[in-house]
Amino acid sequence: MARLRTCSLTWAALIILLLPGSLEECGHVSVSAPIVHLGDPITASCIIKQNCSHLDLEPQILWRLGAELQPGGRQQRLSDGTQQSTITLPHLNHTRAFLSCCLNWGNSLQILDQVELRAGYPPAIPRNLSCLMNLTTSSLICQWEPGPETHLPTSFTLKSFKSRGNCQTQGDSILDCVPEDGQSHCSIPRRHLLLYQNMGIWVQAENALGTSMSPQLCLQPMDVVKLEPPMLRTMDPSPEAAPPQAGCLQLCWEPWQPALHINQKCELRHKPQSGEASWALVGPLPLEALRYELCGLLPATAYTLQIRCIRWPLPGHWSNWSPSLELRTTERAPTVRLNTWWRQRQLDPRTVQLFWKPVPLEEDSGQIQGYVVSWRPSGQAGAILPLCNTTELSCTFPLPSEAQEVALVAYNSAGTSRPTPVVFSESRGPALTRLHAMAQDPHSLWVGWEPPSPWPQGYVIEWGLSPPSTSNSNKTWRMEQNGSATGFLLQENIRPFQLYEITVTPLYQDAMGPSQHVYAYSQEMAPCHAPELHLKHIGKTWAQLEWVPEPPELGKSPLTHYTIFWTNTQNQSFSTILNASSHGFVLHGLEPASLYHIHLMAASQAGATNSTVLTLMTLIPEGSELHILLGLFGLLLLLSCLCGTAWLCCSPSRKNPLWPSVPDPAHSSLGSWVPTIMEEEAFQLPGLGMPPITKLTVLEEDEKKPLPWESHNSSETCGLPTLVQTYVLQGDPRAAPTQPQSQSGTSDQAGPPRQSSYFKDQIMLHPAPPNGLLYLFPITSLL
C-alpha cells in the first residue's frame, strides 16, 4: 500500500508540473541578449518561485542547450525564498538554439522555461550596385551583391532621391523599393523617375546586429538605358541589285521601334556553323544605313550572325545579342590548277584515258562540282564539243582523229576555272634510268631514279596493286614538278604486305619519255611454311635428310638460311645452320638403336617458320658385329683378371693377408725334441657324446713336468683344462674309427699350429676317416 501511495503522489506531481499555468508560475528564464555575434558569450538566469519549492526542499536546476546538458550553473536561494540558477556560455557557436531551464524530478527532466537564442553577423556592405533603364518596362532596374551570409534575418532596401546637382544635395525622396525575400534586385517605376535628372541611389542592409549601406550611385536614368537589339534579316533579291560577290553576305536589320528617336551604333558578329570557330566581331556599322554587305567569308559556307546596339554618342549600355540568323555565302568560280596526265589504251590507241588533280591556287579556291573535257574543231569557229562531263578525277573517251588538243575545266554554280590545255603529242624524250623502289615502312614506299639528260620538266608517278583487283582497279598518281628530283616517297594508298607496280614517266616540253616500271612490296612477310623433311638413308650412327626448297612467293621475303634441330630421348637438343641454297644434310654422331625428333626451320629477314617434325630411329648393330664386340669384351676382361692376379702374386703386401705362411712341422724346431717312440692313446671326452679321438700324439721335452692327466689312469681324464679349442672337420661322427696310422710327418693333416711366445707344448691329432669328424684339442702349458 505504501508503494502504491508513493507512485500516486509522483504522477500527481508530474501532472501539476506539465500544466501550462503551473509552468508559468514555477520558473522564468532571462538572458543577457537573445541575439549575439556568433561565438560571443551569453549569460542566462532561471528563477524558481517559492510556490514550487514544496516539490523539493533543495531542487536541482539543470541547463540544456538544444539537446545537450550544459555544466557550470550556479544555484542559490534568494532572501525571498526563491531559487536562482545562473549560467554563462563562453562561446555560442549555434546560429539558432533553445536554452532550457530544467528541474530534475524523479528520473526525468522537467522543462520549467526556455528561450530562443540567435547568433550571426551584422550585414556586410552591399557591393557592385548597378542600374539599367529598361524602356520596354519603363522602369529603372537596380541590382547588387548582398555579401556573405549573416545567419540572421536581414532586410535590403533600395533608397533613392532626386537631385538637381551632382547628388551632393538631396532633393525629393523617392519611395523605397523593397525586393522580395531572397532577391537582390529591385525596380523603380517610371512614375517616380525623371529621365534626364540626376538621382542618388544606394542599398541599405539591416538586421538585429547592425546596419550597412552601399556606396551611393549618382546617375541619370537615360544614361543607363539599355536598348533592345534589332532584328536581323536577309535582303530580298532585287532585279536592279547586283548579285553578291563570292564570299559575301548582304544583310539588313529592323531597329527596335521604341528606340527610333535615339541615336545608336551597332556591331555584328559571325562564325561558321561547322567546326569550333570563335565569334568574329565586325563594327561599328554605319549609323544611317540599315543594310550591310559582309565580305571576306569562305565561299559556299553557312554562317551564324547576330547584332546588338547601344545608345551613342551619349552614355548607355549594350543591348543583348539579337536572335541568330543563318545564311550561306555564295560560291566563287574554282581557282585551281589542273595537273593532267593521259595514256592510250593498248587495244584501241584512239581511246584516251585522261587523269587530273586540282591544285588550289588560293586558300579559298571555291568548291568544285564537276569537270568538263571539250575540244574545239578547227573548221567550226566558236564551236565547243564536250567529250566528257564527270565528277571523278579521270575520264576515258574516244579521241577524234583530227583532235590534237583538248581543254579541261572545273566548274560550280559560280562559273568555271581557267581552261587547262592537254596536248596529245607523239614526240618522245629520253627515258630515265636505274629505277628502283624499296619499302620505308608498312605504309610507304620510296621510289628513286637517275634523271635523264637533259633534265625533264617533271615526272608522273603512278602506283597501284599488281595484279590489280576488281576493287582496286584505279591507280594512284601524282605529278612531280621538279625535273631535277631523283626520288619520291609514296604514302598515299599504301598497305602492308602488298605488291605494288610503280610507273615513272618523264615529262618534257610538248613531249614525254617512255614509262619505266618497277615492283616493290610495302612490307614482306615471313615464309608461310618450311620445306618438309624426308629421310633418304639411315645408318647406326648417321642419317641422311633431304628436302625440296619452296619456290619464291610474291610478297614473301627471300630465305636467308635453314636451321636443323634434332632431339634425343634424353631431351638433349642439337642444331646446325645451313645456307639457303642447301637441300640436304647428313646427321653424324647419333647413337645406335636410338629415337630422334628432327625439324627444319626456314628463316628470312621478315621471320622464320618451322616444318613438321620427322621422327626416326637409328639401326641396331648386326649379329657378327655383336659377337666381335662380345669377344673383345671377354678378352679385355681376361686380360684384366690376369694382370690383377700377377699383381697380387708379385706384391708381398697383398700376398701375406691372403695366403699366410704355414710352418712345416717336420723342419721346425720341434723336431729336435720329438720322442722317437710315440704313445698312442684313445680316450673320450667325458660328457660330450662324441666319437673317440682316433690318434693322439703328445710332444714332450725330456725334463718337462708331466701334465696333470699324464700321472693318472684313464679314469681321471675327466679333469681337462678349461682352455680347449675345437676344430670341426667335415665327416660322419657315427663312422667307426680307423686303424692307427703312421706317425710320420707326412701323414699329419692338421692345420698350422697356433704359435705363441707363451706356449711351448702342442698337440697334434691325426685326421679321422673321411666320413668322420676330427676334434683338435690344443693343450698348452705355460713356460
Side-chain angles (χ1 to χ4, degrees), residues 676-692:
T676 57
I677 299 175
M678 304 295 298
E679 296 181 359
E680 296 183 359
E681 296 181 4
F683 64 93
Q684 291 184 347
L685 295 178
L688 295 179
M690 295 182 181

Side-chain angles (χ1 to χ4, degrees), residues 126 129 142-144 156-159 201-205 212-215:
L129 174 63
C142 297
Q143 61 183 7
W144 61 90
F156 294 88
T157 304
L158 181 65
K159 294 181 174 293
I201 304 173
W202 73 95
V203 178
Q204 177 178 301
S212 62
M213 293 183 296
S214 68

Side-chain angles (χ1 to χ4, degrees), residues 601-620:
M601 183 182 72
S604 66
Q605 293 182 352
T609 305
N610 291 329
S611 68
T612 56
V613 178
L614 174 65
T615 302
L616 57 86
M617 176 177 283
T618 53
L619 298 181
I620 301 174

Side-chain angles (χ1 to χ4, degrees), residues 367-530:
Q367 293 185 349
I368 299 176
Q369 295 179 353
Y371 302 90
V372 173
V373 180
S374 60
W375 73 291
R376 190 188 302 271
S378 59
Q380 302 177 9
I384 299 178
L385 301 179
L387 297 176
C388 184
N389 189 346
T390 180
T391 58
E392 304 294 333
L393 296 178
S394 63
C395 183
T396 302
F397 56 89
L399 184 65
S401 58
E402 65 274 13
Q404 298 296 326
E405 180 180 339
V406 297
L408 174 65
V409 295
Y411 67 89
N412 58 17
S413 60
T416 62
S417 64
R418 297 181 59 182
T420 300
V422 182
V423 179
F424 301 98
S425 176
E426 296 295 336
S427 60
R428 294 286 181 174
L432 52 83
T433 58
R434 302 185 65 180
L435 180 65
H436 60 279
M438 61 181 299
Q440 293 286 348
D441 55 62
H443 298 280
S444 66
L445 283 170
W446 169 261
V447 56
W449 59 85
E450 187 175 309
S453 181
W455 282 356
Q457 293 183 349
Y459 302 92
V460 173
I461 308 168
E462 297 178 277
W463 66 93
L465 294 176
S466 178
S469 60
T470 56
S471 59
N472 296 281
S473 58
N474 295 331
K475 289 188 175 183
T476 306
W477 69 278
R478 67 161 293 143
M479 183 173 291
E480 176 61 45
Q481 300 291 339
N482 184 9
S484 62
T486 59
F488 187 78
L489 184 63
L490 308 179
Q491 294 178 303
E492 184 180 359
N493 297 332
I494 301 295
R495 294 179 297 173
F497 308 115
Q498 299 295 331
L499 178 63
Y500 287 90
E501 179 186 7
I502 306 171
T503 305
V504 181
T505 306
L507 302 178
Y508 301 92
Q509 182 69 30
D510 298 332
M512 63 181 181
S515 301
Q516 302 293 328
H517 306 272
V518 68
Y519 295 88
Y521 282 95
S522 55
Q523 184 178 3
E524 294 180 336
M525 292 185 292
C528 294
H529 52 271

Side-chain angles (χ1 to χ4, degrees), residues 61 74-78 82-86:
I61 301 174
R74 300 184 301 275
Q75 186 172 339
Q76 61 179 350
R77 179 180 293 275
L78 301 180
T82 60
Q83 295 285 339
Q84 181 182 15
S85 178
T86 305

Side-chain angles (χ1 to χ4, degrees), residues 177-331:
C177 181
V178 179
E180 297 181 3
D181 293 340
Q183 295 184 354
S184 57
H185 60 85
C186 196
S187 300
I188 302 176
R190 170 70 177 82
R191 62 181 180 272
H192 300 304
L193 302 175
L194 294 176
L195 297 181
Y196 297 96
Q197 183 179 356
N198 287 339
M199 58 184 301
I201 304 173
W202 73 95
V203 178
Q204 177 178 301
E206 183 178 4
N207 63 13
L209 297 180
T211 302
S212 62
M213 293 183 296
S214 68
Q216 183 175 290
L217 190 64
C218 186
L219 54 84
Q220 290 184 11
M222 285 304 294
D223 289 345
V224 293
V225 66
K226 182 177 181 180
L227 306 177
E228 292 295 326
M231 185 63 64
L232 267 180
R233 59 184 179 86
T234 183
M235 291 181 59
D236 296 331
S238 174
E240 295 82 8
Q245 298 179 5
C248 293
L249 291 175
Q250 292 180 348
L251 308 173
C252 66
W253 59 89
E254 182 179 352
W256 184 45
Q257 294 297 325
L260 288 176
H261 62 284
I262 300 175
N263 294 329
Q264 53 187 304
K265 69 176 180 179
C266 302
E267 62 183 13
L268 187 72
R269 69 176 183 177
H270 61 86
K271 69 174 182 178
Q273 290 184 4
S274 60
E276 299 180 356
S278 58
W279 290 98
L281 194 62
V282 179
L285 302 179
L287 299 179
E288 297 80 8
L290 296 179
R291 63 180 58 192
Y292 184 71
E293 185 176 16
L294 179 63
C295 293
L297 305 178
L298 297 176
T301 304
Y303 280 86
T304 301
L305 302 99
Q306 292 178 338
I307 191 173
R308 67 177 182 176
C309 297
I310 190 176
R311 183 188 181 213
W312 190 83
L314 297 177
H317 290 275
W318 283 103
S319 68
N320 296 328
W321 289 102
S322 67
S324 299
L325 175 67
E326 296 180 358
L327 294 178
R328 187 178 184 86
T329 57
T330 58
E331 291 183 328

